[in-house]
Amino acid sequence: MSALGGVLHATISSVRAGGDEPPVTIPRDPAREAARDELSKPAYHQDDQNWFIRALNKFWDWVDELFSAASGAAPGGTVGLLVILLAVVAVAAALWWRLGTPRRSPTSAAPLFDDRPRSAAEHRAAAAAHAAQGHWNQAVQERMRALVRALEERALLDPRPGRTADEAAAEASRPLPQHADRLRAAARDFDDIAYGGRPATPETYERLSALDTEVEQTTPTLTSPAGAPR
């Protein structure tokens, strides 16, 4: 028999016996401890909900209170609140449709080449392999690297570790002024694809490949140190 059951049994037996003997009692603190021990037994908690269900119920109670408070403050009560929520959803949908998915800003300060130097021919071969598999992001990046490496191999650009696509386009525009706009556009495409999260397309790759081929066949405009044409 448990402690609490024993106490209750002794008290009831004393009352039933009657007579002049006082009922059996125990001090308050031991009685409280005995009751706590008795009620902590698993048999009393078999039907209790687990902690997740209790937390979920509290959360939905909080949502219900919040919704009730908002509906009381909104003009027209619950109907007015629903109208406001629908208007907010409509505005958000219109902005998403107009602006599209947010994109990260490209980090144009990132270097164009990795640590392992490769020739222009190697970059072009890698670009062609990626294009054959439909990996347009990698294909565009490798073709841009091929274009810049070819300019370095022709001594139109000084080999410089850490050069960015924007810097390469700006420097290459001096000996190749007829391609300046397309070089800057190619650099923007490279940054947007490599660092801005924009997916490349076959058209992007074809434009860059055509530019690389044309630049390879173009006679550069050489200038003297003073800036005058030779």
Side-chain angles (χ1 to χ4, degrees):
M1 181 179 295
S2 65
L4 181 60
V7 171
L8 294 175
H9 178 73
T11 302
I12 293 171
S13 298
S14 177
V15 172
R16 287 178 176 175
D20 297 332
E21 294 183 3
V24 177
T25 60
I26 60 175
R28 177 180 301 174
D29 291 341
R32 184 184 300 112
E33 293 297 329
R36 184 182 297 114
D37 292 341
E38 179 69 19
L39 294 177
S40 65
K41 293 181 178 180
Y44 294 100
H45 302 280
Q46 292 178 351
D47 297 328
D48 288 355
Q49 295 175 331
N50 60 40
W51 66 269
F52 178 77
I53 298 298
R54 294 196 301 271
L56 190 61
N57 289 336
K58 289 183 179 179
F59 170 76
W60 288 118
D61 290 341
W62 174 79
V63 171
D64 183 63
E65 292 176 2
L66 184 65
F67 187 83
S68 298
S71 63
T78 303
V79 176
L81 178 61
L82 290 175
V83 171
I84 294 173
L85 291 175
L86 290 175
V88 171
V89 171
V91 170
L95 289 174
W96 179 84
W97 179 80
R98 179 66 179 86
L99 301 177
T101 303
R103 295 172 180 168
R104 295 178 299 158
S105 299
T107 306
S108 59
L112 181 64
F113 295 102
D114 53 23
D115 295 333
R116 186 175 74 86
R118 288 184 290 176
S119 67
E122 289 177 313
H123 284 296
R124 289 190 181 108
H130 285 304
Q133 299 178 34
H135 301 161
W136 301 113
N137 283 17
Q138 295 90 332
V140 167
Q141 294 174 55
E142 288 297 327
R143 194 70 189 214
M144 183 65 185
R145 293 177 180 127
L147 188 157
V148 175
R149 184 68 78 200
L151 294 175
E152 292 178 350
E153 292 173 352
R154 295 170 64 189
L156 298 180
L157 293 179
D158 294 329
R160 177 160 56 85
R163 176 185 276 121
T164 66
D166 287 337
E167 292 170 345
E171 295 169 17
S173 296
R174 289 190 285 271
L176 300 166
Q178 63 272 55
H179 298 301
D181 292 339
R182 295 171 66 191
L183 285 168
R184 285 192 291 268
R188 285 194 300 271
D189 286 338
F190 178 89
D191 287 339
D192 289 344
I193 292 166
Y195 310 112
R198 195 191 83 188
T201 63
E203 291 75 21
T204 310
Y205 177 72
E206 291 300 329
R207 286 197 306 269
L208 186 51
S209 298
L211 176 62
D212 182 25
T213 301
E214 291 179 27
V215 167
E216 188 74 8
Q217 299 172 354
T218 300
T219 301
T221 301
L222 301 179
T223 58
S224 66
R230 291 180 180 177

